[in-house]
Amino acid sequence: NAGVTQTPKFQVLKTGQSMTLQCAQDMNHNSMYWYRQDPGMGLRLIYYSASEGTTDKGEVPNGYNVSRLNKREFSLRLESAAPSQTSVYFCASSELRGADQPQHFGDGTRLSIL
Amino acid sequence: LAKTTQPISMDSYEGQEVNITCSHNNIATNDYITWYQQFPSQGPRFIIQGYKTKVTNEVASLFIPADRKSSTLSLPRVSLSDTAVYYCLVGDSLTDSWGKLQFGSGTQVVVTP
């Protein structure tokens, strides 16, 4: 049981480069999420997908785009990376939509932008 | 979504009970209270959820008073491996704001020998 798998685990980019972070879950969950976590801070929601075919903005969506490729996969794209996007990115999923639904998290992607 | 307030940090010794209180004064009727645990270099992990009174599982207990304006996560007989950040979240499935979850900064629990 892999749960939520994120790739890559680490990445260094130069300012202006683009990159896609991949996320896949094998729990047949309907909802998926992307968060970022900065040092000493909690998680902030970037985008979420309540179900396959839908995506919505979270608290901090600027500079990011997402794709819900199918029920299993939810990718996050940085079109033109900026140093302010240096962070740890977490993907999560839940069986159903809702703030009361337990979320299952991946182990994160550590992204540094120079 | 209801705003939550937790202590920034708590220290404990091995074998003691740790109680973390989360305040959520504007909790709504349909809101549930959910707690997560996060170890360094890992994603958060769901540990317990409740609506009212008391909930217990193999990891922790959650106490919720009748007015539901606060909740207390209780970790019995902590060990060094319980050192982590603990987050309290409050929300429901019914309102459109459910997607704007805010984990806040959580409570850093440090357990020492």
Side-chain angles (χ1 to χ4, degrees), chain B residues 52-80:
Chain B
K52 61 180 179 180
T53 64
K54 176 184 174 181
V55 180
T56 297
N57 62 23
E58 65 278 5
V59 177
S61 294
L62 179 59
F63 299 90
I64 305 168
D67 66 6
R68 305 204 322 127
K69 293 184 182 300
S70 67
S71 59
T72 299
L73 176 72
S74 180
L75 306 173
R77 299 179 298 282
V78 294
S79 64
L80 297 178

Side-chain angles (χ1 to χ4, degrees), chain B residues 14-27:
Chain B
E14 279 189 297
Q16 290 187 329
E17 179 181 79
V18 172
N19 295 306
I20 309 170
T21 296
C22 179
S23 297
H24 28 80
N25 291 320
N26 58 338
I27 189 169

Side-chain angles (χ1 to χ4, degrees), chain A residues 4 6 13 17 27-28 32 38 45 47-48 53 73-74 77 80 84 93-94 97:
Chain A
V4 177
Q6 293 184 236
L13 294 177
Q17 288 185 316
M27 296 171 283
N28 200 36
M32 298 186 73
D38 299 308
L45 184 65
Y47 271 93
Y48 62 97
E73 299 172 286
F74 189 38
R77 183 162 178 83
S80 179
S84 61
S93 69
S94 62
R97 57 167 287 167

Side-chain angles (χ1 to χ4, degrees), chain B residues 75-106:
Chain B
L75 306 173
R77 299 179 298 282
V78 294
S79 64
L80 297 178
S81 63
D82 291 314
T83 293
V85 178
Y86 294 81
Y87 297 96
C88 164
L89 272 74
V90 174
D92 68 8
S93 302
L94 304 178
T95 60
D96 290 342
S97 61
W98 73 272
K100 302 194 187 304
L101 294 170
Q102 294 186 1
F103 275 72
S105 298

